[in-house]
Amino acid sequence: MSLNEPLIDRKEDVYSILRTYYDQFSSAAGKLDLLRPAACFSPHIFGAGKSFVGENFLKFLKKFADEEEEQKETEVFNKSSSGKVDLKFFSWKHFAENTLSVCFKLGESFSRAPFPRFLEALMYNIAMATAQCNGMTAREIVEFTDAAMKQPSVFLFVQYLLEQFQKQYLFLMIDELSHLSDLTTYYSELTTKQFVESDPGYIPYRKFFRTVGELLDTGKVILYIAGRTAEISARLSDARSSSVTLHMLRLNPFNLHDINEYIELATYSGKSLKDCLLPSDDLRYRFVELLKKKTGGIPLIVRNTLLALVEKVANLSQPVINDDNMELLLDSVFEDILNESGTFIIPEILDSATLLRYQFVLLNYQLGTIFPIDFVVTLCGTRTYLMDLVATFGFYCEFCGIDGIDMGTEFKIGCCEFILRAHSSYKFFREASEIFPLSPFSYISDNATAKGVFFEFIFMKIFRFRLLTFLHSNSSPIVHSAIPGIFQGSFIEQDSVSYSMESTKSYDIPILRNVSDSFSDHYRKYLQRCGIFVPKDGNSSGPDAYFVFHNGQTRYVVGFSFKFYHKSEFSKRDIEKEAEQFFQGVVSVLNDESFSSVQLCFQFVVVCARYDRSVGFSTEEHNIVEDASGFVTQHSSRSTLNESSRSCLQLVIVSQRNLEVYLGRDNVEVLRKIGEANRGEFSKDFSVWCETVFESMFNEYVSSLETEQSNVTSRVARNIRPRTNEENRMQMEGYQSAMQVEGGDTRGEQSVAASSSLSSSFDWNAFLRDRCGLSEEDVAYCLPRLSFIGMIDLSGVTTEFLLKCGIDSPSLRLRIMLGIRQFLAK
């Protein structure tokens, strides 16, 4: 039994492929030699329907031709045998009847091609695929391929293929473009430089486009390229040096109408999916909406979900889906989808840099930020097209705006419930995906509410990231050390309170509209466990976030109140009103004997970007820390609080100086810009501001690495100047000995010999290339500057030391530090 998939409308994408073809020809003078080679390119995520469009290109043409009730003419340029280009009108039917379709994938078949040059191997694979796609026998394939390869030119080669099938156009789909780099093993010409390259990774792709340009120059090839690759990206200038213009397809996910049509037309064992699954049309609209929410409309996920669902109910004589169980049924097949499909992309390298990139993508998905399609982001020292970064994690692009035949000028990041659940099944991503709720914005509107929500989000993201980073890099994590400035002067700092991994978990909690009446139940349900708690929607009448952690027999409950005022200010009376409201709710908890098994400490922390003068900070701008027991006894109906309880209630007002210490100067500047920005500046600069915030988090991570390095190593490193290769070799043993002596190593000559052995056995070449992901050019630059450092010395390397060794690029230093961190962790 199998699912028969319908041809859901891709008319816009098929039309773009044809328009790209005939727009190659200039109307000026009508000569073929004025052809400007162009191709369509689809780099979308796995499951977006890239291959389906190419493999069913002829079927789509015939479908659209059949749908034409009358010949709606489209202007194109038809080439005559004389080489002239004559203006002519034709319909979908013209292409449906005159196109030869050939599809193949880049891969190992190239290594078996009996030709040394890439162009010849490409032609050989095209000839083989032409024969195979058109039903030839094994003997016919050999004869056909031999005859095609004997043609004396590329033009005659293409002409021969077309004449054998009496066609005018060759539709050529080259799939799995990412495998091109694998072919450099067999075709060294793919790595040959013709000019200075900014990144050697681009070289095979430039050579590839120069090669396919010869096919396009025949004027007979309609070229469609598909496959995810980071080397050919958003605005596609990467192909221009090869005189090939690339146009990207939109390939948007299915909308509600598409999914509805899919269910109606798809069949399983000859029976419509609609009849298999849904007993009535009344249910279908809600089911389609739910399916769109779960799958995001990604074609492969839609297909796999429906297939798993229909197989689940196949043995039942009647459809079983109803209003009550449809979501449960969809969720029940999630594991089957995850196991049977490669749709959910998990990067191969799982490190802190990957986690930060994921957080950046996830944040902007939740915010609904709109980006230009050529947006380039530099995160963790790596410059990447955002479209590539999005696809790396299984997110997709929803394109908006029209740019001629191209797919559009802007996009926003799309995702779906199933993909997010797939990510959350990995502990590594769960830390990033268990984040605080934020209603999607089509843009960040220029109003105080949106700015305030962003301020809260950024504050708590940095809060949690610092806790996690500090926890991983310190054996005795202290709250006030991990979160500098925020708890200055409070009992959390004075008692050097520590925290655990459990305290860093994130949770959603219901909003509290009446804190004084409901806080006890609220505390009983949620706040007795450790973690970071954030209300589900908008602004609550209580704290905007909670941080709960245990230290021995004491439970600390911290309520945060965030204010993001730039044009107005927050007064002392405003603070007291909010503090009264919080501590009134605390009374019932402190008076409840069922909670007396632990010592409770409550703290209300106010964080504001701008205060009124009535909030009087000291000249040094320390936090204002006040005893809050007055708020409790003043409103308590029965004053049963003991002295220890009263002494553990505090109001903390975070000074602007300490807010800057916590956020970092760059992030404070970002928040200032956000506060002052108008609507136009938001749409233009918001994504750059997000980038700044996440880059600062990365720098904080690297900084924490360096604090782990020993003071001894740092002292040695400061006295080492960059050396020549010969000096490096001569000084290596003395350098290692100095490190061992200063570190108190008394193992003598045997230890030195062992260290030298470790040094000579450490493969910096492989480490820089494989662990750090450096290009061959960067490896060649770094290797002579680092080769004297042995494996035993890696723990002493810092970014400052790398700079002294002559690694001038901040990006390279950061990538090397991440590689060392990952290596040492394993």
Side-chain angles (χ1 to χ4, degrees):
M1 296 183 181
S2 62
L3 182 68
N4 183 27
E5 293 188 76
L7 298 175
I8 299 303
D9 187 15
R10 289 293 190 188
K11 182 176 285 189
E12 181 182 81
D13 298 303
V14 175
Y15 179 67
S16 291
I17 293 173
L18 296 179
R19 277 293 304 266
T20 298
Y21 166 71
Y22 62 71
D23 276 5
Q24 296 176 112
F25 305 98
S26 172
S27 58
K31 291 185 178 180
L32 190 61
D33 58 4
L34 293 177
L35 180 144
R36 294 167 295 181
C40 265
F41 175 47
S42 177
H44 300 68
I45 65 166
F46 184 81
K50 304 183 296 292
S51 301
F52 190 83
V53 168
E55 292 165 358
N56 294 278
F57 187 74
L58 274 186
K59 291 181 180 179
F60 276 116
L61 290 179
K62 292 172 183 176
K63 169 181 163 62
F64 301 147
D66 292 340
E67 290 174 352
E68 281 182 325
E69 296 179 359
E70 52 188 55
Q71 297 292 314
K72 185 176 182 180
E73 297 174 336
T74 306
E75 183 180 287
V76 298
F77 298 111
N78 185 49
K79 301 161 297 306
S80 67
S81 57
S82 64
K84 297 291 184 181
V85 180
D86 302 317
L87 188 63
K88 187 179 179 179
F89 296 98
F90 74 96
S91 67
W92 287 104
K93 185 178 179 181
H94 172 78
F95 275 117
E97 293 178 344
N98 294 283
T99 301
L100 174 66
S101 178
V102 178
C103 303
F104 75 94
K105 299 178 181 180
L106 291 180
E108 283 301 311
S109 61
F110 272 79
S111 64
R112 298 190 296 270
F115 299 95
R117 293 180 58 229
F118 179 72
L119 173 60
E120 293 172 327
L122 180 63
M123 293 166 62
Y124 176 80
N125 277 269
I126 292 171
M128 287 281 290
T130 302
Q132 292 169 347
C133 290
N134 289 277
M136 291 187 179
T137 64
R139 181 174 180 177
E140 289 171 337
I141 290 174
V142 173
E143 294 173 350
F144 177 83
T145 304
D146 287 344
M149 294 305 297
K150 290 177 182 177
Q151 303 304 311
S153 68
V154 175
F155 180 86
L156 292 176
F157 167 81
V158 173
Q159 187 66 34
Y160 174 81
L161 301 184
L162 294 173
E163 286 177 352
Q164 300 307 301
F165 296 93
Q166 298 181 333
K167 301 296 182 181
Q168 296 182 34
Y169 312 101
L170 173 64
F171 170 75
L172 177 62
M173 176 190 177
I174 302 178
D175 204 354
E176 302 293 354
L177 182 63
S178 59
H179 289 295
L180 182 67
S181 56
D182 299 334
L183 301 181
T184 57
T185 303
Y186 310 105
Y187 303 97
S188 59
E189 64 187 283
L190 290 176
T191 58
T192 303
K193 292 185 180 181
Q194 294 197 354
F195 49 86
V196 177
E197 297 282 357
S198 59
D199 186 340
Y202 287 102
I203 297 174
Y205 295 89
R206 297 196 194 279
K207 177 62 177 176
F208 170 80
F209 284 110
R210 285 192 287 270
T211 302
V212 298
E214 296 188 48
L215 292 168
L216 293 171
D217 282 337
T218 66
K220 299 176 181 293
V221 177
I222 304 169
L223 181 59
Y224 169 50
I225 302 167
R228 279 263 310 115
T229 172
E231 281 77 12
I232 305 294
S233 298
R235 215 45 202 140
L236 312 174
S237 60
D238 309 319
R240 290 176 187 164
S241 65
S242 306
S243 300
V244 175
T245 300
L246 292 183
H247 292 294
M248 292 178 68
L249 296 188
R250 296 176 75 98
L251 280 183
N252 276 336
F254 289 158
N255 57 31
L256 293 175
H257 177 271
D258 295 333
I259 296 176
N260 186 61
E261 185 180 17
Y262 192 105
I263 293 173
E264 190 162 327
L265 298 179
T267 60
Y268 181 79
S269 299
K271 189 177 180 181
S272 168
L273 283 188
K274 177 186 67 173
D275 298 332
C276 293
L277 298 174
L278 298 162
S280 69
D281 290 341
D282 294 338
L283 285 174
R284 198 194 313 175
Y285 184 75
R286 179 167 177 256
F287 179 77
V288 166
E289 282 191 323
L290 194 58
L291 189 60
K292 170 69 173 176
K293 173 189 172 186
K294 300 284 185 184
T295 66
I298 299 174
L300 185 62
I301 307 182
V302 171
R303 175 196 178 278
N304 289 347
T305 302
L306 289 171
L307 180 60
L309 195 59
V310 76
E311 288 177 345
K312 190 178 186 71
V313 301
N315 296 327
L316 301 176
S317 58
Q318 297 293 330
V320 294
I321 295 180
N322 55 52
D323 279 321
D324 296 328
N325 71 4
M326 64 172 60
E327 184 161 12
L328 290 174
L329 282 171
L330 282 172
D331 288 341
S332 71
V333 300
F334 169 74
E335 290 299 328
D336 295 331
I337 300 167
L338 186 60
N339 292 333
E340 297 297 328
S341 172
T343 303
F344 309 109
I345 298 175
I346 303 297
E348 292 181 5
I349 299 176
L350 300 179
D351 57 13
S352 180
T354 303
L355 183 60
L356 284 178
R357 295 185 185 105
Y358 179 72
Q359 289 177 318
F360 178 81
V361 172
L362 189 63
L363 167 65
N364 283 286
Y365 155 66
Q366 291 180 304
L367 294 176
T369 313
I370 295 176
F371 297 91
I373 65 171
D374 57 351
F375 183 77
V376 178
V377 60
T378 301
L379 289 174
C380 308
T382 302
R383 185 175 182 271
T384 313
Y385 278 111
L386 183 57
M387 289 184 65
D388 284 324
L389 193 60
V390 165
T392 298
F393 299 107
F395 292 76
Y396 54 87
C397 300
E398 294 188 68
F399 299 103
C400 43
I402 301 298
D403 181 18
I405 66 171
D406 217 340
M407 64 173 180
T409 58
E410 296 176 320
F411 74 94
K412 63 180 180 179
I413 300 170
C415 198
C416 66
E417 187 175 314
F418 278 169
I419 286 180
L420 291 176
R421 283 181 60 188
H423 285 155
S424 67
S425 66
Y426 287 78
K427 180 181 178 183
F428 181 82
F429 285 109
R430 192 155 51 243
E431 291 187 351
S433 58
E434 290 178 354
I435 60 172
F436 324 114
L438 196 60
S439 300
F441 299 104
S442 57
Y443 55 87
I444 301 300
S445 55
D446 182 23
N447 59 64
T449 300
K451 293 176 181 180
V453 169
F454 182 73
F455 176 57
E456 295 172 21
F457 189 95
I458 290 300
F459 184 96
M460 294 308 296
K461 285 292 289 184
I462 295 176
F463 187 93
R464 184 161 182 265
F465 182 77
R466 284 194 167 181
L467 287 176
L468 285 169
T469 300
F470 204 78
L471 192 65
H472 286 299
S473 59
N474 291 270
S475 58
S476 179
I478 305 299
V479 174
H480 74 84
S481 299
I483 312 295
I486 301 304
F487 299 109
Q488 181 196 56
S490 73
F491 50 63
I492 291 178
E493 180 186 55
Q494 292 166 357
D495 298 341
S496 292
V497 178
S498 62
Y499 65 102
S500 64
M501 176 64 80
E502 185 186 6
S503 305
T504 66
K505 293 181 179 179
S506 296
Y507 303 97
D508 295 342
I509 58 175
I511 224 165
L512 291 180
R513 296 299 179 192
N514 190 340
V515 177
S516 59
D517 291 342
S518 61
F519 185 83
S520 180
D521 290 338
H522 188 61
Y523 175 82
R524 186 185 302 276
K525 289 179 181 178
Y526 302 101
L527 300 180
Q528 292 189 76
R529 56 179 171 172
C530 293
I532 296 168
F533 299 81
V534 180
K536 283 185 175 179
D537 303 296
N539 292 325
S540 70
S541 56
D544 299 301
Y546 293 92
F547 174 43
V548 181
F549 57 101
H550 292 289
N551 188 37
Q553 291 300 308
T554 303
R555 179 180 302 141
Y556 295 85
V557 180
V558 179
F560 285 100
S561 177
F562 300 109
K563 303 298 172 186
F564 190 62
Y565 293 149
H566 275 272
K567 295 179 182 177
S568 58
E569 297 172 331
F570 199 40
S571 70
K572 185 63 181 293
R573 183 58 193 142
D574 293 328
I575 293 173
E576 290 174 347
K577 284 181 180 179
E578 291 207 3
E580 285 176 9
Q581 189 176 43
F582 173 72
F583 287 110
Q584 283 177 38
V586 167
V587 171
S588 58
V589 175
L590 292 175
N591 286 335
D592 192 331
E593 294 182 0
S594 64
F595 299 132
S596 61
S597 59
V598 295
Q599 172 71 49
L600 292 175
C601 292
F602 287 91
Q603 197 173 78
F604 189 64
V605 178
V606 178
V607 184
C608 183
R610 182 176 178 135
Y611 295 98
D612 182 82
R613 290 184 179 179
S614 60
V615 184
F617 291 97
S618 66
T619 53
E620 297 85 4
E621 271 221 85
H622 291 298
N623 292 347
I624 296 175
V625 180
E626 297 180 354
D627 174 17
S629 61
F631 293 117
V632 175
T633 55
Q634 178 182 352
H635 299 284
S636 177
S637 58
R638 47 191 180 94
S639 181
T640 60
L641 301 180
N642 56 41
E643 288 302 318
S644 62
S645 293
R646 291 174 181 170
S647 65
C648 291
L649 303 175
Q650 279 188 340
L651 168 65
V652 178
I653 306 173
V654 179
S655 70
Q656 290 173 301
R657 173 181 169 273
N658 278 327
L659 180 61
E660 182 174 320
V661 169
Y662 167 73
L663 292 173
R665 193 165 297 172
D666 289 341
N667 288 336
V668 170
E669 181 64 15
V670 166
L671 291 172
R672 183 191 65 77
K673 291 177 179 178
I674 289 174
E676 298 174 354
N678 57 37
R679 190 181 298 271
E681 289 168 334
F682 262 113
S683 61
K684 177 176 179 291
D685 296 327
F686 178 72
S687 55
V688 178
W689 296 333
C690 288
E691 174 187 338
T692 302
V693 171
F694 280 81
E695 192 74 3
S696 73
M697 290 166 68
F698 173 73
N699 291 336
E700 182 74 19
Y701 170 78
V702 172
S703 176
S704 71
L705 292 188
E706 296 192 350
T707 61
E708 294 181 60
Q709 317 303 333
S710 68
N711 292 330
V712 172
T713 301
S714 297
R715 288 200 303 272
V716 173
R718 281 195 294 269
N719 293 321
I720 297 178
R721 63 177 176 84
R723 302 184 177 95
T724 64
N725 288 346
E726 184 63 25
E727 285 177 316
N728 287 337
R729 285 192 292 270
M730 294 174 62
Q731 296 292 333
M732 179 174 62
E733 184 174 342
Y735 169 71
Q736 292 170 332
S737 298
M739 292 184 71
Q740 290 170 343
V741 170
E742 288 207 33
D745 191 337
T746 59
R747 288 171 291 176
E749 295 181 4
Q750 183 178 356
S751 177
V752 174
S755 176
S756 299
S757 175
L758 283 170
S759 174
S760 60
S761 64
F762 187 68
D763 189 348
W764 272 102
N765 194 328
F767 175 82
L768 293 170
R769 185 177 61 252
D770 300 333
R771 180 75 65 180
C772 303
L774 302 191
S775 66
E776 293 297 335
E777 186 176 347
D778 289 336
V779 170
Y781 169 77
C782 295
L783 192 58
R785 294 166 171 81
L786 302 175
S787 57
F788 72 97
I789 303 173
M791 182 164 58
I792 199 172
D793 306 323
L794 287 180
S795 61
V797 175
T798 67
T799 52
E800 181 185 11
F801 177 61
L802 292 177
L803 180 61
K804 290 180 180 293
C805 289
I807 310 297
D808 297 325
S809 167
S811 170
L812 289 178
R813 293 198 298 271
L814 292 176
R815 293 172 73 175
I816 292 169
M817 284 302 302
L818 279 174
I820 291 174
R821 174 64 170 174
Q822 186 183 18
F823 178 79
L824 293 177
K826 291 186 176 182

